[in-house]
Amino acid sequence: MKCTTIRRAGLSIVAAALLTGVTACGGSGGSDDSGGSGGSGKGGDGGPRLSPVAALLTAEKSTDGADSAKVESTTTMGSVMSMTADGALGWGDGLTGTLTITYTGGTMADTMRQMGTTSMEARYLPDAYYARMGDTFAEQAGGRHWIRYAYDDLESLGGSSGAYLKDQMQNTTPNQSVKLLLASGDVREVGEEKVRGQRTTHYSGTVEVADLAEKNSNLSQSQLDDLRKTLEQAGVTTETVDIWVDDRDLLVKKVEKGETTAGAYAQTAYYTDYGTEVSAEVPPASDTADFAELVKQQGAGTGS
């Protein structure tokens, strides 16, 4: 019984961390043509001031083309969790990179403490996500410390929500936060502000989450309908998005806020060192458990 409880807790923590990686990169993927209407991306040093849409189109292209960055983020969701993530991610050829994720509060942190640690290493590779759990979890998983979370399994095991998460994992990049505003149709320039000593321009808007999913994913209509129901049940309808863009047209900060049935959620992420070298190695197979197999074992062990 203890084995099943710890294994289930580990799986839920992996899922939360998986989502954190996605949102740290900007919570929406999909086709690049979602930017809607509005001005041209031209402009530049000494030229006429760009409209917010034109400026964001330029920032979206510049950030996408940078291929990698160091990421530092904080995430809170009601009483469920507060967590930090720190590392580097690349997106030139699928999402890759490594983050150190630390749970600092909420029920997730309590669960992690029961497993002997509040911190875990997360590795993102183009076809799967790997999470290194603590020794207590390994004792209940045949001595294996890592969980492999294949993106294809997300869709087969998670239905429409899993399909959406898979879509986001395989398409997400930091420039998606810029696309969030472009797709929303609600873009406004707040003004010039300093972010950690850098001069930036601050933009803001409100996003209808279900509409955004439709514009920025490759899901079928039935999957979108199911996802919309899931979002409604979770109390997620709209979120506010704020981004800060530097003089090189690169995203340096983003803040997303919204409400769920579990309480308010918010994430702040900072991006630095664009073009940094990123590496993420596949953990040893002998020290890795497969998520789909663990789910089957959990189901087989829940008879009493």
Side-chain angles (χ1 to χ4, degrees):
M1 187 138 126
K2 182 181 176 187
C3 169
T4 302
T5 301
I6 290 176
R7 197 159 54 222
R8 185 185 299 118
L11 296 180
S12 66
I13 285 166
V14 169
L18 183 71
L19 280 164
T20 299
V22 174
T23 51
C25 264
S28 170
S31 48
D32 5 277
D33 211 8
S34 58
S37 58
S40 107
K42 291 187 179 178
D45 297 339
R49 190 170 186 82
L50 299 175
S51 72
V53 170
L56 289 181
L57 284 168
T58 301
E60 188 272 319
K61 290 184 177 69
S62 297
T63 301
D64 183 39
D67 284 350
S68 65
K70 290 182 180 178
V71 181
E72 180 185 332
S73 70
T74 59
T75 306
T76 60
M77 182 179 291
S79 61
V80 175
M81 68 174 179
S82 59
M83 64 199 300
T84 64
D86 184 52
L89 293 171
W91 52 91
D93 184 22
L95 185 66
T96 59
T98 302
L99 297 177
T100 299
I101 296 173
T102 303
Y103 290 82
T104 55
T107 56
M108 282 290 192
D110 294 338
T111 302
M112 285 291 285
R113 287 188 196 99
Q114 293 174 23
M115 293 193 293
T117 181
T118 56
S119 174
M120 59 181 274
E121 181 180 339
R123 294 184 188 176
Y124 297 83
L125 286 102
D127 64 336
Y129 162 90
Y130 296 81
R132 191 183 196 284
M133 310 303 292
D135 290 338
T136 304
F137 177 87
E139 289 172 7
Q140 308 299 333
R144 292 168 295 179
H145 293 83
W146 291 89
I147 298 177
R148 179 179 184 270
Y149 220 127
Y151 301 142
D152 285 343
D153 290 338
L154 292 174
E155 183 171 0
S156 60
L157 296 169
S160 60
S161 297
Y164 182 61
L165 183 53
K166 174 193 172 186
D167 182 86
Q168 304 313 284
M169 286 305 304
Q170 294 185 316
N171 294 291
T172 191
T173 62
N175 70 314
Q176 300 299 339
S177 293
V178 184
K179 285 187 176 182
L180 274 166
L181 289 186
L182 288 169
S184 74
D186 174 35
V187 181
R188 57 188 178 278
E189 181 180 325
V190 178
E192 292 190 358
E193 299 175 9
K194 288 214 169 170
V195 173
R196 295 181 169 181
Q198 280 187 278
R199 189 175 68 179
T200 69
T201 304
H202 177 187
Y203 301 92
S204 184
T206 301
V207 173
E208 296 290 334
V209 178
D211 289 347
L212 185 76
E214 184 170 1
K215 291 176 182 176
N216 288 301
S217 73
N218 299 309
L219 304 188
S220 67
Q221 189 57 51
S222 63
Q223 288 174 322
L224 286 166
D225 291 341
D226 288 343
L227 178 64
R228 189 171 281 107
K229 288 179 186 175
T230 301
L231 291 169
E232 289 170 356
Q233 289 169 358
V236 180
T237 55
T238 63
E239 68 174 23
T240 59
V241 180
D242 289 82
I243 65 171
W244 288 258
V245 177
D246 70 9
D247 291 342
R248 297 177 299 158
D249 297 314
L250 294 171
L251 177 67
V252 296
K253 179 183 176 183
K254 71 125 186 191
V255 176
E256 295 180 27
K257 294 181 180 179
E259 294 286 338
T260 73
T261 52
Y265 73 87
Q267 185 182 69
T268 299
Y270 294 90
Y271 306 95
T272 60
D273 296 298
Y274 277 96
T276 190
E277 186 174 336
V278 173
S279 64
E281 294 183 358
V282 176
S286 60
D287 198 24
T288 303
D290 189 82
F291 167 71
E293 289 301 316
L294 289 174
V295 169
K296 287 179 187 175
Q297 292 172 20
Q298 179 182 306
T302 53
S304 60

